[in-house]
Amino acid sequence: MTASRVQYQTSDEVDFVIIGSGAAGGILAKELSTNGFRVVVLEQGPYLHESDFSHDELKILQEDLLTNHPKLQPNTFRKTPDEKAKPQRALVYGRAVGGTSNHFTANFWRFHEIDFIERSKVGPIPGATFSDWPITYADLEPYYTKVEWEVGVSGLAGASPFDPPRSKPYPMPPLPVKSNGVLFERAARKLGLNPFPAPMAILSQPRAGRSACINCGFCLGFGCEVKAKSSSLASMIPIAEKTGRCEIRPNSYVHKIELDARGRAVGAVYFDEKKNVHLQKAKAVIVSANGAETPRLLLLSASKQFPNGLANSSGYVGKNLMLNSGGISLGLFDEQLNDYKGVAVSRILHDFYELDAQKVGFYGGGGLDARFDMTPINFAAGGGLPPDTPRWGKKFKDAIAHNFTRTVEIFSHGTSLPKEENSFSLDPELKDAWGLPALRMTYKDHADDIKLAKWLNEYGLQILDAAGAKKKWTYPIEEQQFAVHLLGTCRMGSDPKSSVIDSDHRTHDVKNVFLCDGSSFVTSGRGQPTMTIEALAFRAADRITALAKRGDINA
Amino acid sequence: MPEHDCLPSAPFDRRTFLTRSAAGFSAAWLTANWPAMVSAATHAHARAASPDPAKFEFFTAAEAAEVEAMSSRIIPTDETPGAKEAGVVYFIDRALVTFASDSQKTYREGLADVNALLSEKFPSVKKFSAASPEQQDAVLEALSNSKPNASSARRNRPNATGQPFFDTLRYHTIAGFLIAPDSDRRGNRDGVGWKVIGRDPEHMFQPPFGILDKDYPGWQPAGVEKK
């Protein structure tokens, strides 16, 4: 299988070098190679396969099989720019071929129309760099459909009265309902709300040589052993490789975009597995390294021409970080629900997608779902038990024995407002295992985000009440210090002074450098960003193809 | 299946569809994955069936007896198996030479602390494993400071290194009790931990999963349910 794959020399000037093989990079690789371009994908992590995945929780929780490694890649955290950042694990992202799409939970809602034009509708918000997108839902709609059909999303069109218009139904029916979905649906209807089957990037039917979900329950944090989860690894990368024009090069850690005297990119400089340095030459560079590593790479690529970092004339590289707000309420039920079986989420609701700021007193909106995504160790050692449970001894054992099959989470997820000071930057002192400046995260939620999270959490408790929970509790809403959704750090916009890329994903400053991943976001949506990252990637591939065919990339 | 691209017209259709797709996907899945699955299962089985090595990789036999006694108070044996039956001490022993090698010192010092606490509280008792369950609990109570479930123990976060001995031992005991039984971590022997929490050891399930989805009539738009 590997023998037939194309391999380029680093001195071969390929059409595109793509940095990152995740949700966006995988799609760009597939689209551009299918469109006839020669592509090299540089992925910092290893090339793992389904046979490398397992249900061993410690591989995930302790050994970082699929994610960035805190010992090799430490980072620092601070709440505000006037503080000195301290070493503290502050983010997780996928670090393997397939990126974060390997281990995500696979909730795949589309953004709604409002997400792209909310600044115009709501007006300015103090303390936030709130802005409209330069594209609309209508621009992205065909690409959402493409994600659903090509990457693979299960769902039921028309089931939510709040859904934006769509040109085509889902290609597959929703996944089987779980007991938590049934109790969520009944309780929500009692409260006059509109629950509906969750759209998930997991196959409910066999498709494109991949099997349907076997309901093993190991989604969040784990790779799917049967290719049912629609990761880039399972869905896009095999097609890219089959073109014979796309090379996926794992263990390739890019740390610089090389420029020529004209200020055009000539390729990407990376460490191979043995820390030898190479330059992969390319006519254009696409960075899809995620909302933390994409800005970091631009900052690491500072030069005489670009002293503040590549493509950073706006000063916005790394800024306006958004994580999505939200909270978790938990409930304990009498019935044996066995929610460890099946995908995490089977029912959600969007009734609170747009809360009325006049009524609630803050900006924001979000979704609620019922889920159970805690694997056994996580459940018993972490946050699965009521807070008054003894931590050890017979009562502890009785609690894990009784509760594991009877616990439900009501998960809420909503908007984060962009703030200029929330950012990823280079730590002035800490270095990673390659001697490069470590990521420094600065984050303090906007006050409205905290109010929203509390509001949604309270509503989660109401749903648990209506569902007949015997006991219910919530995690306290605290200022976030840990990032999973990495959004907004190289935002898209038409004004080069207040954005990093244009609506073609091209950097305003460098004609042949494109950025496409969570960093491109202008607003956070209501959580579940990967669907939109992927729609953007399909669209970016079309735009970039058109520019290349016009000779408008490296002329 | 284009007929399911729109809302199902009646609950019956939906139910029929679910039954059909459940049967369909398992068959298709088996075709696609059976050889790999058989080989994985055989491998796991061979590992599980291999005799438990009596040798410890980190602990001395004496230390192991103490750690086993402590973990047996964290997840005690009663009418159902506890840490002892799950082989948690073997799990911890391997953990300390693999993913938790950073915690070796924590254990060596922690064992000494436990001895100190024991001789302070119960001078006549020579070692933890020889103490009565009540005495053992008193020592562990003092060691743990009896903190309630802290909010810092957030879900989906790794257990940090550099934690106090009791927290480390507690985490390792839980992990050793509940780790996937077919992993090579030497914990959850015979899947007893999963039996205790009611987790079916299979890795492939078909609906219905629990009580409430068993008789679920299928999703219907709001209003249809009102009779």
Side-chain angles (χ1 to χ4, degrees), chain A residues 348-359:
Chain A
I348 70 173
L349 59 85
H350 277 166
D351 294 69
F352 309 121
Y353 206 89
E354 278 181 78
L355 289 170
D356 181 348
Q358 302 300 323
K359 274 192 198 151

Side-chain angles (χ1 to χ4, degrees), chain A residues 56 179 185 189 373 391, chain B residues 147 155 185 213 216 220:
Chain A
D56 175 348
S179 280
E185 182 177 308
R189 289 225 163 127
D373 54 13
R391 297 181 71 227
Chain B
K147 273 184 298 179
R155 59 202 277 288
R185 306 278 186 184
D213 55 310
Y216 180 75
Q220 299 157 54

Side-chain angles (χ1 to χ4, degrees), chain A residues 449-470:
Chain A
D449 298 351
I450 296 283
K451 287 177 191 161
L452 170 69
K454 286 184 175 159
W455 193 96
L456 290 169
N457 231 13
E458 284 304 310
Y459 211 95
L461 290 175
Q462 284 189 48
I463 292 176
L464 287 166
D465 252 345
K470 287 294 162 295

Side-chain angles (χ1 to χ4, degrees), chain A residues 18 20-35 39 41 98 101 104 108 143-144 146-148 150-152 230-233 235-240 246 248 286 288 516 530-542 544-545:
Chain A
I18 300 175
S21 63
I27 286 170
L28 282 153
K30 178 257 176 189
E31 288 289 285
L32 294 173
S33 60
T34 304
N35 289 348
V39 176
V41 178
S101 71
F104 64 12
F108 254 46
Y143 301 101
Y144 278 124
K146 225 170 157 171
V147 174
E148 288 166 0
E150 294 197 21
V151 179
S230 296
S231 65
S232 281
L233 179 70
S235 64
M236 292 288 106
I237 284 166
I239 303 175
C246 177
I248 308 287
I286 303 175
S288 296
C516 182
T530 312
M531 170 55 142
T532 297
I533 291 173
E534 297 196 349
L536 287 174
F538 273 117
R539 183 177 171 279
D542 269 8
I544 293 168
T545 297

Side-chain angles (χ1 to χ4, degrees), chain A residues 229 305 379:
Chain A
K229 198 198 277 185
Q305 286 160 292
F379 174 82

